[in-house]
Amino acid sequence: MKEARVLYWFRTDLRLHDSPALQAALDLSRPSYTPIFTFDPHYVYHSKGSGNRWQFLLDCQNDLSESITKLNPRSQLFVLREAPQTLLPKLFKAWRITHLVFERDTDAYARARDRAVSDLARTAGVETLTRYGRTLWDSDAVVAQHGGKPTMSIAQLQAAGNKVGPIPTPLDFEQERPDADPDLNAPVRESEFQPYKTGIAGPHGDFRPEVLEELGFPPATTPHRGGETRALRMLDHILADEEYAAKFQKPKTSPAAFEPQSTTLLSPHHHFGSLSPRLFYWRVQDLVSRFKGASTPPESLTGQLLFRDMYFAAQAAIGAPFTQTHNNPHCRFIPWHLPSKVEAGTETGTNAISGEYHVDSLQAERWFQRWKAGLTGFPWIDALMRQLKHDGWIHHLGRHAVACFLTRGGCYVHWERGADVFEEWLLDHEPACNAGNWQWLSCTAFFSQYFRCYSPIAFGQKWDKEGRFVRRWVPELKDLDAKYIYEPWKAPLSALDKAGVRIEGDGGLGGNGKREEGTYPEPMFDFNERRKVCLDAMKTAYQVGIYGDDERVKNGTWREL
Ligand code: FAD
């Protein structure tokens, strides 16, 4: 039988365990196998990613490469730098490839790219094989079972998923390991393909994973690092505490917990595919089935993965408009304030629907900038935003707090502005989950109880009376009496003097000059006032009830409503 020469293209599946696509490659007859990763300029140049996420990616590449070399000393992960649409045809030819294999990706750009690449492969006489492995169920199959519509609730996801069939159990790790096949070998590194001549290999021309500086980023600040080995170890550690894993109830986990955090922190591993969601699911399920009093979805650990699948399937159904309001038939249109970088007084962004209040667009922009910088004057919000920027991860309920505050529960700024910041800073940034959760929090899709609003004061107090979390991330307030830690503007001068801090100014971002040393900003607005304004405006917007695909939204005439 003819030998299969496989180009295995790693993208969202940076692991060797439980990888259906990798298994498909290994199932080919007498395969020789070249595992590659290419830095696609679409992500490198268009990405808003911070150094933290790139570091996590490099960690995953290094770990994967080492694992491949352990299995086959002549192989490694071959890292390249070029758009797949132009690189792959060159590799097909140079390495006489017969099969291109990769994990399916339902993100909008990925779908278009993969279609183009599969066409190129066909032209080159290369067979393309794909498998899904990023989610519990195949998102496209879920959509098909849901009448082509997006899954907008866990119940819908479960109903459609059950029609697709049981969630597949993970592949046998040992059986799948490439060294299980004695015929497996990598191509000779330099003989057939000349990296130095083409200039497409990394800076050292040896296809090795790069380091952060070579990608042009400053050192990462996050303590959370990537790699399959680490992910599997984390999973073992989490499951070793059987009571924790079996009785996990998301609403009861604290957003103020740190070192350690109260949830698994496995989301970046799911994003990069260094942990299989099915392995996670079935290992938890196995524990739950033996455990008395275990929690159930949606609050349980397995329930968390169902949320992930729900957003993936919703995105698979809606396509590119899923991550925006414009042209998205499932996203409610809300005439948010229009922050923009205009000079004061040159433009007024008003809420056209209520027409009752006016917020200068420069004002809205300043609120947005202060939110982003962690200088709102609300310590709970600022602590979370600073943790997000530094660590690239915050707890789910912390994400709730800051997202609600920026949108319908404070600033009334468009959710897409917030989603952009999360895209820049999150280690686990996933287009489907990020946009979907922002829509949930802003009550534009998935969730509609806009009258339930998080207080930036009471919510933090509920979890952390002493303000340990705030002290950790807002060191200006570290010595302030717990009585005032969430509302420092209420502290008497004596308490502030004792803590060595003054409450003044706008953090240097509100147009009133620089931030003074030893100060923490005043709150940027009266929260109770803003909550009322937002509630009234949301009520009106819900009454008008138009969606992102409404002609008036698409052509900008919504202002006349
Ligand atoms: P755990 O509670 O331990 O959950 C286990 C796994 O389930 C997670 O690792 C994650 O893969 C998945 N999961 C849990 N909650 C959700 C959820 N609500 N939606 C989707 N998947 C979930 N999650 C992302 O993976 N990427 C994002 O870009 C993202 N953006 C978000 C933006 C906002 C505004 C909000 C409110 C939430 C966002 N989330 C996102 C969802 C959630 O906050 C994170 O998945 C979770 O906090 C990750 O921490 P963990 O791994 O400890 O979660």
Side-chain angles (χ1 to χ4, degrees):
M1 208 183 282
K2 202 171 158 239
E3 183 191 277
R5 293 176 68 87
V6 180
L7 192 64
Y8 189 84
W9 181 16
F10 278 104
R11 304 110 52 95
T12 47
D13 54 335
L14 301 176
R15 65 175 181 275
L16 295 184
H17 72 272
D18 188 36
S19 168
L22 196 51
Q23 185 64 57
L26 297 171
D27 285 344
L28 289 165
S29 113
R30 294 172 36 75
S32 72
Y33 156 97
T34 310
I36 66 156
F37 181 98
T38 186
F39 279 106
D40 183 345
H42 172 84
Y43 293 113
V44 179
Y45 298 118
H46 299 177
S47 162
K48 302 180 186 103
S50 74
N52 283 340
R53 191 156 74 243
W54 289 100
Q55 180 61 62
F56 204 95
L57 168 63
L58 298 180
D59 290 343
C60 291
Q61 289 179 348
N62 277 302
D63 185 64
L64 181 61
S65 195
E66 280 169 26
S67 300
I68 292 171
T69 305
K70 259 187 222 151
L71 297 172
N72 179 347
R74 286 182 299 142
S75 192
Q76 66 177 73
L77 177 67
F78 292 78
V79 178
L80 298 119
R81 272 188 179 191
E82 191 176 326
Q85 297 88 334
T86 54
L87 171 72
L88 297 188
K90 289 186 217 168
L91 299 185
F92 295 154
K93 210 165 150 208
W95 287 344
R96 291 183 284 117
I97 296 298
T98 60
H99 292 79
L100 170 68
V101 188
F102 54 84
E103 182 177 87
R104 217 174 292 150
D105 185 343
T106 48
D107 287 358
Y109 162 75
R111 274 203 207 268
R113 175 201 59 202
D114 292 349
R115 257 195 309 271
V117 162
S118 302
D119 287 346
L120 291 164
R122 199 173 314 114
T123 309
V126 171
E127 189 180 330
T128 302
L129 288 179
T130 67
R131 296 286 184 275
Y132 92 91
R134 241 183 133 185
T135 42
L136 301 177
W137 284 291
D138 177 350
S139 302
D140 288 331
V142 168
V143 175
Q145 290 297 344
H146 194 53
K149 295 189 307 277
T151 45
M152 303 303 288
S153 68
I154 287 292
Q156 289 181 359
L157 185 265
Q158 284 173 310
N162 290 338
K163 286 190 208 159
V164 173
I167 293 166
T169 48
L171 296 164
D172 181 345
F173 189 82
E174 287 311 315
Q175 200 187 2
E176 189 215 355
R177 274 170 183 254
D179 63 347
D181 184 341
D183 290 338
L184 199 71
N185 55 57
V188 179
R189 277 184 200 157
E190 290 107 50
S191 63
E192 298 185 44
F193 187 63
Q194 297 286 327
Y196 302 98
K197 288 190 186 152
T198 61
I200 60 174
H204 312 301
D206 61 0
F207 299 107
R208 299 231 164 259
E210 302 177 35
V211 294
L212 207 55
E213 289 130 28
E214 288 164 348
L215 292 173
F217 287 107
T221 52
T222 181
H224 312 309
R225 303 296 293 261
E228 178 186 16
T229 308
R230 191 174 268 115
L232 291 171
R233 220 183 297 131
M234 280 171 75
L235 184 61
D236 283 344
H237 180 75
I238 289 157
L239 293 169
D241 187 345
E242 297 197 344
E243 172 127 1
Y244 167 82
K247 290 190 165 175
F248 183 95
Q249 281 177 286
K250 188 66 159 274
K252 293 192 178 158
T253 60
S254 169
F258 61 99
E259 291 161 19
Q261 73 292 336
S262 62
T263 55
T264 66
L265 224 159
L266 287 171
S267 50
H269 292 286
H270 289 305
H271 171 65
F272 286 104
S274 41
L275 182 65
S276 150
R278 303 185 318 185
L279 180 71
F280 178 108
Y281 181 90
W282 280 112
R283 285 198 58 190
V284 175
Q285 196 54 36
D286 179 48
L287 174 66
V288 162
S289 62
R290 297 186 269 112
F291 210 91
K292 253 211 169 110
S295 53
T296 51
E299 294 184 347
S300 63
L301 264 185
T302 52
Q304 303 315 301
L305 287 177
L306 295 179
F307 278 111
R308 187 170 175 273
D309 261 47
M310 175 186 81
Y311 291 122
F312 269 88
Q315 175 179 249
I318 297 175
F322 182 72
T323 54
Q324 60 194 33
T325 305
H326 187 84
N327 216 8
N328 182 345
H330 293 272
C331 188
R332 196 176 282 277
F333 173 73
I334 309 278
W336 307 106
H337 296 325
L338 297 168
S340 64
K341 288 178 181 130
V342 292
E343 291 304 312
T346 58
E347 189 192 318
T348 306
T350 58
N351 183 300
I353 283 186
S354 81
E356 282 166 18
Y357 64 97
H358 297 253
V359 169
D360 187 285
S361 51
L362 187 62
Q363 174 64 280
E365 179 66 24
R366 283 175 175 151
W367 285 345
F368 169 74
Q369 293 299 344
R370 287 182 65 176
W371 172 83
K372 183 175 177 184
L375 290 167
T376 63
F378 293 97
W380 171 239
I381 299 296
D382 293 344
L384 287 161
M385 291 306 292
R386 294 183 196 187
Q387 184 193 25
L388 172 62
K389 182 172 186 191
H390 187 272
D391 283 5
W393 183 91
I394 48 176
H395 183 283
H396 184 59
L397 295 177
R399 299 182 201 204
H400 272 225
V402 297
C404 182
F405 183 84
L406 182 71
T407 57
R408 65 187 172 84
C411 307
Y412 216 65
V413 163
H414 203 308
W415 66 265
E416 290 173 21
R417 294 296 300 279
D420 275 354
V421 173
F422 273 34
E423 177 174 351
E424 186 177 343
W425 288 342
L426 276 180
L427 292 172
D428 62 30
H429 172 253
E430 195 77 80
C433 301
N434 193 37
N437 276 291
W438 271 95
Q439 288 165 15
W440 180 302
L441 263 301
S442 59
C443 286
T444 49
F446 297 100
F447 182 73
S448 54
Q449 296 177 22
Y450 61 82
F451 39 86
R452 287 176 59 181
C453 183
Y454 291 102
S455 156
I457 299 147
F459 191 49
Q461 275 168 339
K462 173 184 160 189
W463 293 104
D464 180 13
K465 272 248 159 340
E466 290 303 306
R468 280 181 65 246
F469 179 75
V470 168
R471 291 172 210 282
R472 162 73 178 83
W473 290 104
V474 186
E476 305 93 294
L477 302 178
K478 73 177 182 346
D479 297 322
L480 192 60
D481 192 315
K483 229 186 330 182
Y484 307 110
I485 192 83
Y486 292 99
E487 299 171 286
W489 62 92
K490 288 192 176 164
L493 262 179
S494 56
L496 293 171
D497 280 348
K498 208 167 144 209
V501 65
R502 278 173 298 132
I503 306 301
E504 63 181 43
D506 52 23
L509 290 169
N512 297 334
K514 274 176 51 191
R515 184 176 170 210
E516 296 286 332
E517 186 91 4
T519 65
Y520 176 74
E522 289 168 4
M524 60 188 195
F525 43 60
D526 178 325
F527 172 69
N528 288 327
E529 229 169 65
R530 287 298 305 169
R531 167 158 53 192
K532 186 170 177 333
V533 168
C534 290
L535 268 174
D536 288 350
M538 289 295 289
K539 196 168 164 199
T540 313
Y542 261 65
Q543 277 161 0
V544 173
I546 63 173
Y547 286 79
D549 62 340
D550 191 290
E551 277 312 310
R552 291 161 294 186
V553 174
K554 290 204 267 181
N555 63 26
T557 56
W558 57 266
R559 285 181 180 79
E560 290 147 24
L561 283 166

